[in-house]
Amino acid sequence: MAEVKKDKGPKLADPIESTIDLATQEMITRSHKLGVETVFDRALNMKQCNIGLQGICCKNCAMGPCRLPLPKGGIEGEDTRKGLCGATANTIAARNFIRMIAGGAAAHSDHGRSVAEVFMAAARKESDAYTIKDTEKLLAVAPHLGVAVTVEVDGETLDRDIDEIALEVGEKALNEWGKADGELLYLKRAPQPLYEKWEKYGVKPRNIDREIVEIMHRTHMGVDQDYKNLIKQGTRACLADGWGGSMLATDLQDILFGTPYPLQSEANLGVMKKDHVNIIIHGHEPVLSEVIVAVAQSQEMIDYAKSKGANGIQLGGICCTANEMLQRHGVPTAGNYLQQELAIITGACDAMVVDIQCIFQNLANVAKCFHTKLITTHPIARMEQENVIHIEFNEHYALEDATRIVKMAIDNFENRDADVMIPQHKSAQIAGFGVESIKYHLGGTFRGTYYTLNDNIINGRIRGIAGVVGCNNARTKHNEHHITIIKELIKNDVIVLSTGCSAITAAMHGLLTPEAAAVYCGPGLAEICETVGIPPVLHLGSCVDNSRILLAATEVVKAGGLGNDIADLPAAGSAPEWMSEKAISIGHYFVTSGVYTVFGGTLPTFGAPVFQDYLFKEMEKMYGGMWDVTEDPIEHAHKMIAHIDKKRKELGIDK
Ligand code: MSK
């Protein structure tokens, strides 16, 4: 990224070179005027280690770190690189890669576990703040966990009591993290041929925690030294994430808080309001923020805000807590991952409430320069800086906790400095899609009418399906690759399913409206979007909701006409600006569920070409999906389109 020229001190990021988003450009400029450093500046001043970047630095014991740089011009002849213990580049890269999977799977799955615990509190009626809201979803999910929804009495089939079902669903779900034998129950939701592949290659997860722990054991010094065997365990753990922890998180959240259906909202920093108390919620777990939304919308709190001179309370979200609040309540999205510091730099953020994951520690340093109360809420995610307030969330006292937080934000309104600058940029968005609503909007089924997804893929109006997901990365121009890739896909009649910060990015740039179809889509996709009134990019929620993409793909397979397995579909996955370990876990469960998946930028496999080849080529022979990577966003989109066309040809539906 280019820098702003100045005489001395750390370099400053050039706003126009840093992002394609106008609101972000304005706030970077303001940060420089106020002398507040952001991630965009730090990315200029902190050099990346090329060896670590390529995945070939081993720091798993104190004889190292052992660094195995790739010779200029690549490996000629035998690859003799090795660490002190003899570990090869392939072993080191595979160990590092699956440790990333362990980190990502642990994050998603621990999130799921927290939700399951709150679910149990609701099922036991131990909390005023939570009830089982979506009984229809409860009844749909129960059989997948082996919970009966009916009971036979004297030869008659009767509905079981909902409370009883909820309790048993909660118990069965919690058991998935640590059961002593068997396999994950949700694996059977996959198409049968995929399930058989997992069985054939011995990668069916036994329970969620065990697969993550086993990665830490196998990658300890002196244990597993075969990159194929290491990645096999990576596969088990990522499947425990996608078809386990993440899928359970999504299902239990839907049952507790309601299954999302499309609704209208807005996105970007311009959703903040100068004359309102602004509360920004940031992170991933919706269990506290659900209650904050309810409390902030109560008349009592609105009146209290007015008594302090504000015109109301404006909630806004960042990262995936934003997506959770958006998809169920229409709470507007204030920004994506790289905009978290900027929300405070507006000077109008009265409280930022954070839970877990993707939270910059530097938020505390930025908050120190303004009146913002920065509130951590989770026992596993605290900050060391003194200006951070910790209000630990307890599901049994959720209403009291949320009320305390909202009041604190309102009381802080009068401490605002006169220098407030909220960038006047925001876009309308339609969000809240899921398997249920995709089906509903496209003809009530996946196959058999003029509107259905399968029929329109078969007749070619829709060329294929792309899942475009994941983060921003300060090493890539903010938002540029997401938008370039998505626009290229929809221009070529590929419908996009999106989650996480990618979906936020699409919203900020106006791609989540039905009107975007006429402007950006090819004629086939435009016709469908205009006929049924959907955007060409469907927002499916947060990072754990990538499980919705797995289930949507499964429904498409089961509806017929497009092969027998996810790997047969004209579909591809993408993470244009990835940065987190969670992205690696998601990428690998996409691949091992049969999806060709392209990452933008770089992968920590470049330094171990044999291991990389295994991921990029051999995986396809086993699961039908494989990894790929490119720095060029147009090439990225066309790699996906070429794969979609290859699958259309194999299905005999190429035009
Ligand atoms: S929040 S993991 S930056 S998508 Fe889920 Fe965004 Fe990536 Fe965090």
Side-chain angles (χ1 to χ4, degrees):
M1 261 171 215
E3 61 179 279
V4 171
K5 288 269 170 274
K6 63 188 187 77
D7 299 335
K8 52 181 190 263
K11 297 170 192 165
L12 297 179
D14 179 336
I16 293 172
E17 291 299 322
S18 302
T19 173
I20 59 168
D21 170 53
L22 296 177
T24 306
Q25 287 174 7
E26 286 175 16
M27 293 316 293
I28 294 173
T29 304
R30 174 170 159 89
S31 74
H32 293 164
K33 274 194 198 127
L34 298 177
V36 181
E37 179 204 83
T38 70
V39 65
F40 296 97
D41 306 316
R42 290 191 294 278
L44 274 181
N45 293 294
M46 170 75 73
K47 271 216 155 68
Q48 285 180 289
C49 163
N50 201 32
I51 298 170
L53 199 61
Q54 294 184 16
I56 39 174
C57 171
C58 182
K59 50 183 180 56
N60 295 8
C61 88
M63 295 197 295
C66 293
R67 294 143 39 99
L68 274 57
L70 195 62
K72 278 203 177 93
I75 307 281
E76 276 184 29
E78 199 189 340
D79 185 353
T80 54
R81 293 174 297 160
K82 47 176 144 9
L84 259 65
C85 70
T88 64
N90 294 320
T91 299
I92 291 171
R95 278 181 187 156
N96 290 335
F97 196 79
I98 72 169
R99 277 201 172 196
M100 292 184 85
I101 292 177
H108 286 146
S109 300
D110 218 30
H111 165 168
R113 187 201 322 264
S114 293
V115 175
E117 284 166 355
V118 173
F119 185 96
M120 279 307 285
R124 291 189 186 121
K125 301 191 188 305
E126 291 170 355
S127 165
D128 294 343
Y130 305 103
T131 52
I132 302 297
K133 205 176 259 175
D134 192 339
T135 51
E136 208 178 307
K137 182 95 182 202
L138 174 70
L139 296 177
V141 164
H144 297 298
L145 290 167
V147 177
V149 296
T150 56
V151 61
E152 296 289 321
V153 179
D154 299 332
E156 218 186 324
T157 306
L158 301 175
D159 290 341
R160 272 185 82 194
D161 178 67
I162 284 288
D163 291 342
E164 239 178 72
I165 297 173
L167 256 182
E168 211 179 315
V169 162
E171 283 162 4
K172 283 274 175 64
L174 267 173
N175 199 34
E176 291 297 271
W177 272 267
K179 63 189 180 188
D181 44 37
E183 64 188 44
L184 282 196
L185 296 169
Y186 273 2
L187 298 179
K188 291 231 163 79
R189 297 178 84 170
Q192 183 65 20
L194 179 55
Y195 179 84
E196 284 167 10
K197 283 175 196 164
W198 294 335
E199 194 158 51
K200 178 176 171 190
Y201 294 111
V203 294
K204 288 188 299 178
R206 296 154 289 188
N207 70 52
I208 297 165
D209 287 347
R210 179 171 182 175
E211 306 311 350
I212 296 163
V213 169
E214 193 168 308
I215 285 185
M216 298 314 286
H217 180 190
R218 284 196 194 202
T219 56
H220 184 276
M221 194 275 139
V223 187
D224 204 347
Q225 296 158 30
D226 172 3
Y227 67 90
K228 291 181 193 168
N229 208 39
L230 284 159
I231 196 66
K232 181 176 168 185
Q233 183 55 24
T235 300
R236 272 208 200 100
C238 76
L239 293 175
D241 173 356
W243 295 86
S246 283
M247 201 171 276
L248 283 163
T250 297
D251 280 346
L252 298 181
Q253 285 171 181
D254 282 358
I255 297 169
L256 269 179
F257 310 131
T259 301
Y261 280 91
L263 41 69
Q264 191 164 359
S265 188
E266 292 175 325
N268 213 342
L269 291 164
V271 304
M272 296 172 75
K273 291 188 182 142
K274 193 173 181 176
D275 58 358
H276 279 52
V277 174
N278 289 294
I279 304 175
I280 299 290
I281 42 188
H282 171 24
H284 282 76
E285 256 184 36
V287 286
L288 173 61
S289 42
E290 272 286 328
V291 193
I292 290 182
V293 173
V295 169
Q297 288 173 346
S298 70
Q299 198 53 50
E300 188 194 341
M301 283 301 129
I302 294 168
D303 290 344
Y304 186 58
K306 287 184 176 164
S307 77
K308 297 284 179 176
N311 279 345
I313 302 169
Q314 180 63 53
L315 290 171
I318 287 185
C319 282
C320 283
T321 304
N323 291 325
E324 300 284 3
M325 295 305 100
L326 165 72
Q327 65 183 346
R328 297 194 181 88
H329 304 286
V331 170
T333 317
N336 56 20
Y337 175 66
L338 288 183
Q339 292 174 290
Q340 52 188 283
E341 293 162 304
L342 309 182
I344 298 177
I345 293 172
T346 59
C349 178
D350 301 300
M352 181 175 277
V353 187
V354 301
D355 51 81
I356 48 162
Q357 300 168 24
C358 300
I359 296 148
F360 289 173
Q361 184 164 359
N362 198 57
L363 286 178
N365 302 328
V366 177
K368 226 182 265 173
C369 307
F370 299 87
H371 77 301
T372 305
K373 301 273 186 210
L374 178 60
I375 305 166
T376 54
T377 58
H378 208 290
I380 69 162
R382 298 190 63 157
M383 290 184 187
E384 68 188 25
Q385 289 98 323
E386 277 172 8
N387 61 320
V388 180
I389 301 157
H390 186 69
I391 299 180
E392 196 153 305
F393 166 69
N394 178 325
E395 66 262 32
H396 298 100
Y397 304 100
L399 273 172
E400 289 90 328
D401 292 340
T403 305
R404 200 173 145 208
I405 288 168
V406 173
K407 273 198 164 153
M408 192 176 277
I410 295 171
D411 289 335
N412 198 29
F413 179 75
E414 62 193 12
N415 297 327
R416 263 199 215 166
D417 199 275
D419 182 18
V420 164
M421 181 191 148
I422 300 172
Q424 296 303 300
H425 302 284
K426 59 180 176 179
S427 299
Q429 61 170 328
I430 306 287
F433 285 89
V435 180
E436 298 84 353
S437 51
I438 293 175
K439 199 184 207 173
Y440 173 78
H441 278 272
L442 288 156
T445 168
F446 280 92
R447 181 109 200 256
T449 78
Y450 178 82
Y451 304 109
T452 56
L453 187 57
N454 285 32
D455 291 85
N456 281 294
I457 293 175
I458 292 165
N459 69 27
R461 279 195 197 95
I462 296 176
R463 191 163 176 171
I465 307 169
V468 185
V469 307
C471 326
N472 302 115
N473 184 326
R475 306 290 177 179
T476 307
K477 190 171 187 174
H478 173 238
N479 289 0
E480 184 177 55
H481 287 205
H482 284 293
I483 295 305
T484 308
I485 290 164
I486 292 175
K487 281 187 177 168
E488 195 63 19
L489 289 168
I490 61 178
K491 186 174 101 185
N492 284 282
D493 292 318
V494 177
I495 192 165
V496 172
L497 312 183
S498 190
T499 62
C501 290
S502 185
I504 297 175
T505 306
M508 287 162 62
H509 293 270
L511 298 177
L512 298 194
T513 62
E515 295 74 31
V519 184
Y520 299 109
C521 292
L525 181 59
E527 186 188 334
I528 297 300
C529 292
E530 282 163 9
T531 309
V532 300
I534 57 167
V537 183
L538 303 180
H539 188 328
L540 267 74
S542 66
C543 290
V544 293
D545 293 333
N546 283 309
S547 62
R548 297 191 201 277
I549 299 183
L550 295 177
L551 291 179
T554 301
E555 288 290 319
V556 169
V557 170
K558 289 184 175 169
L562 292 169
N564 300 315
D565 197 354
I566 292 176
D568 298 333
L569 298 176
S574 158
E577 300 176 22
W578 79 279
M579 62 83 203
S580 74
E581 292 170 322
K582 292 181 288 175
I584 294 291
S585 183
I586 294 165
H588 201 57
Y589 75 62
F590 266 47
V591 165
T592 51
S593 298
V595 183
Y596 169 63
T597 303
V598 189
F599 270 40
T602 177
L603 271 181
T605 55
F606 284 177
V610 174
F611 171 59
Q612 179 166 288
D613 255 26
Y614 191 72
L615 294 178
F616 284 33
K617 294 179 187 145
E618 295 301 310
M619 282 274 144
E620 188 179 20
K621 295 177 194 152
M622 299 161 78
Y623 304 104
M626 70 285 205
W627 283 87
D628 206 346
V629 65
T630 173
E631 275 185 41
D632 179 339
I634 293 290
E635 186 191 32
H636 186 127
H638 282 280
K639 276 173 174 275
M640 296 168 74
I641 293 167
H643 180 79
I644 284 168
D645 287 349
K646 180 176 109 180
K647 291 294 164 182
R648 294 189 67 85
K649 200 165 181 193
E650 285 170 10
L651 289 165
I653 56 169
D654 52 328
K655 284 188 275 183

